[in-house]
Amino acid sequence: MSEWLAGLPPPPPPAEPRPAAAVILWRERPGGRELFWVLRGEALSFAGGFYAFPGGRLDPADASVPVPGLEGETAAFAACACRELFEETGVLLARGTGRLSRAERDEGRRAALADHRGFGAFLSAKRLSLDASRLEPAGRWVTPVSNPVRFDARFFTARMPEGEEASVWPGELSAGEFVSPSRALELWERGDVLLHPSNWWSIHCLSRAAPPQALESLRNPPPDLRIEFQRGIWNEALRTPTLPPATHTNCWVLDLSDGTAVVDPGSPYPEEQERLDRFLDGLAAEGRPPREVWLTHHHADHVGGAARLSARGLEVLAHPLTATRVGLEARPVREGDLLHGRWRALHTPGHAPGHLAFHDERTGALLAGDMVSTLSTIVIDPPLGDMAEYLRQLERLRSLRPRTLFPAHGPPAPNGPGKLEEYIAHRRAREEKVLRALGSGGTLGEVTRLAYDDTPAAALPAAERSCLASLQKLCAEGRARLDGERWSLVR
């Protein structure tokens, strides 16, 4: 991503939340309470690589599944919850399941996975009726507007029925298991797993009590519950003048020994700055006052609120090249500096000359700034953008094998090396398309249209900047030349 470029369309409106349901399946064992959680596949567009509870979108077919004792929307969400639980774990909340063979169960599960209408047909064919009494409403969660994929999810708890077994089939999910709440929270604390607030809150509540005692807290999370994907790394996504499809820049807030650091307070808009103030004031009230502002680079969608926080007394930390461009007095941060005994500063030019990334030597987390985005690709905009240098820095970051990438735009990427390899492969593939487009030669616009033939026309102004960066790299390598306004291949 990058800051907004002239000629681009206005930012898209917030995505409409999709109705969904999730089930917190639990059981009591001699060693204590356990919850069944699943690991979502990395390729999924929402929460890929995160741990969550079985669930998914409400399907129109759910409304036609009979749910004794319920009707209307309530029945449809209950049917959705039961169907998703069956598809993802094989656990069936229905009456009459004792007469089913394993082969019949598996056949019904495959039918539901292939077509959601198959769930109702399976129930009808086997004369089964859903047992909604096993479901307890456990809250409703709506994804924030900063996310391009949003859900309006009803959560339910369900105690594991006698005789049922839970298992995950490979596909959209990578794994699934019963885990104690204390173990789940321990893994989250260490940064070994990522959780969205809805799932963290559910685990937190169930670590204290089982249903029905836990239901009141499950249904009523604090209105100011923070987004904390792993312990001590909070997110407050702020609306900024950034490059579509993004509409927000992630402002990461880090827990330090004596306060917090605010990374990339990028919004210039007063209402967003006031929202960040409230967020920081809440942490300050808990003994975590804001101390510092860390800037990854100088683009407007990353520094829009930095001067305001500096005026509040926060010390600004930035690479000297960034500090010069934004006109702020800043403590210089250079390659290799270790901040607060934990965060290693990495000078990663290419997208911007003074770009910094911050690597957590304790958990492996990487605050990646605009080195990667989980929404789209990064624009390399000459003359400050340098494609060859950007690729070198991507490869360098990959060699560090960071655990989780926390980008400036989009949700975290749990598989840091995998995401960096994906970016490198994408750039290599795009360079090959640029080389093929140079076969017949052309102006920058003509080469861009050929090399970015899979890019929407509205995004071509941004693509043209990255295409220019690739052409300049190829020129420096002796593989392309510029004659007047026409680019051609060196044969």
Side-chain angles (χ1 to χ4, degrees):
M1 307 301 293
S2 186
E3 59 189 346
W4 190 84
L5 296 171
L8 291 174
E16 285 296 319
R18 307 169 184 178
V23 180
I24 307 167
L25 187 67
W26 65 279
R27 68 185 184 185
E28 293 288 356
R29 304 291 277 182
R33 189 172 311 112
E34 294 180 336
L35 317 175
F36 194 86
W37 67 357
V38 297
L39 176 58
R40 293 173 57 80
E42 291 179 13
L44 294 177
S45 61
F46 181 83
F50 278 63
Y51 276 81
F53 296 112
R57 291 180 61 177
L58 181 73
D59 190 90
D62 295 324
S64 62
V65 177
V67 184
L70 300 179
E71 58 184 19
E73 182 182 82
T74 304
F77 277 103
C80 175
C82 292
R83 174 182 54 74
E84 288 286 342
L85 183 65
F86 183 53
E87 290 177 2
E88 297 193 348
T89 72
V91 172
L92 186 54
L93 303 182
R95 296 182 177 92
T97 57
R99 59 178 179 268
L100 289 178
S101 67
R102 171 53 57 188
E104 288 174 315
R105 280 176 170 270
D106 290 349
E107 180 185 1
R109 190 175 176 186
R110 281 191 292 269
L113 285 165
D115 185 336
H116 293 330
R117 291 173 295 184
F119 182 60
F122 164 69
L123 295 174
S124 176
K126 301 302 179 183
R127 301 194 304 276
L128 304 173
S129 62
L130 293 183
D131 187 359
S133 68
R134 295 184 177 275
L135 293 173
E136 291 283 359
R140 181 176 179 178
W141 294 83
V142 180
T143 312
V145 296
S146 57
N147 201 303
V149 179
R150 302 177 65 210
F151 290 94
D152 180 352
R154 273 70 164 179
F155 273 54
F156 299 88
T157 62
R159 188 162 187 167
M160 181 71 164
E162 290 291 332
E164 293 288 326
E165 296 180 6
S167 65
V168 167
W169 289 354
E172 288 189 354
L173 303 180
S174 299
E177 62 180 348
F178 276 103
V179 62
S180 69
S182 60
R183 175 63 175 163
L185 293 174
E186 177 189 345
L187 292 170
W188 170 79
E189 289 265 0
R190 296 202 317 239
D192 291 341
V193 305
L194 296 181
L195 296 170
H196 276 284
S198 55
N199 299 310
W200 179 88
W201 178 251
S202 300
I203 295 170
H204 169 76
C205 292
L206 289 165
S207 70
R208 298 183 171 188
Q213 290 82 6
L215 292 174
E216 182 66 22
S217 56
L218 284 167
R219 295 167 182 167
N220 296 284
D224 57 351
L225 185 67
R226 304 181 186 103
I227 298 175
E228 191 176 9
F229 291 116
Q230 76 174 58
R231 172 63 78 189
I233 302 180
W234 295 283
N235 176 251
E236 188 72 359
L238 303 174
R239 185 171 58 85
T240 60
T242 191
L243 189 66
T247 55
H248 292 64
T249 299
N250 290 325
C251 178
W252 299 106
V253 181
L254 309 180
D255 192 13
L256 309 176
S257 58
D258 61 346
T260 58
V262 184
V263 183
D264 285 354
S267 183
Y269 307 125
E271 65 277 14
E272 295 293 288
Q273 294 176 350
E274 291 166 6
R275 186 159 64 85
L276 178 59
D277 284 345
R278 291 191 295 272
F279 185 92
L280 298 176
D281 289 346
L283 288 172
E286 299 171 3
R288 301 184 182 99
R291 302 288 191 192
E292 299 171 352
V293 174
W294 300 0
L295 300 180
T296 61
H297 62 295
H298 71 275
H299 286 156
D301 58 329
H302 292 253
V303 304
R308 188 170 187 269
L309 292 179
S310 176
R312 282 185 52 176
L314 277 67
E315 183 179 22
V316 177
L317 282 67
H319 190 277
L321 293 174
T322 296
T324 298
R325 289 193 171 274
V326 299
L328 287 175
E329 182 178 346
R331 188 208 314 174
V333 178
R334 296 180 173 86
E335 166 67 31
D337 287 353
L338 187 63
L339 306 180
H340 297 272
R342 176 175 176 179
W343 293 93
R344 184 72 65 182
L346 307 172
H347 183 212
T348 50
H351 176 68
H355 194 286
L356 293 172
F358 302 98
H359 187 219
D360 181 10
E361 297 192 339
R362 184 181 305 172
T363 69
L366 179 70
L367 298 185
D370 269 358
M371 290 302 294
V372 298
S373 164
T374 51
L375 298 180
S376 184
T377 57
I378 297 295
V379 173
I380 308 302
D381 187 7
L384 299 182
D386 183 319
M387 185 65 77
E389 186 61 47
Y390 175 67
L391 284 168
R392 280 193 290 271
Q393 295 304 325
L394 284 179
E395 291 171 350
R396 175 196 177 201
L397 292 178
R398 181 185 58 181
S399 71
L400 295 175
R401 300 198 63 78
R403 175 178 285 170
T404 299
L405 300 185
F406 292 88
H409 306 283
N415 179 2
K419 176 56 70 173
L420 289 163
E421 178 57 39
E422 176 187 316
Y423 254 68
I424 293 167
H426 170 78
R427 290 296 182 184
R428 288 172 177 160
R430 187 66 73 184
E431 184 175 282
E432 287 301 313
K433 294 191 71 171
V434 171
L435 284 168
R436 288 197 296 272
L438 284 173
S440 54
T443 64
L444 174 59
E446 290 167 344
V447 173
T448 300
R449 284 190 291 276
L450 288 173
Y452 287 78
D453 58 350
D454 55 347
T455 300
L460 286 178
E464 189 172 286
R465 304 310 301 164
S466 286
C467 187
L468 176 60
S470 292
L471 290 168
Q472 290 177 344
K473 172 181 179 291
L474 293 170
C475 269
E477 295 168 351
R479 295 195 285 168
R481 68 163 63 92
L482 175 63
D483 297 311
E485 293 186 356
R486 294 188 64 80
W487 296 87
S488 59
L489 194 65
V490 174
R491 301 183 186 276

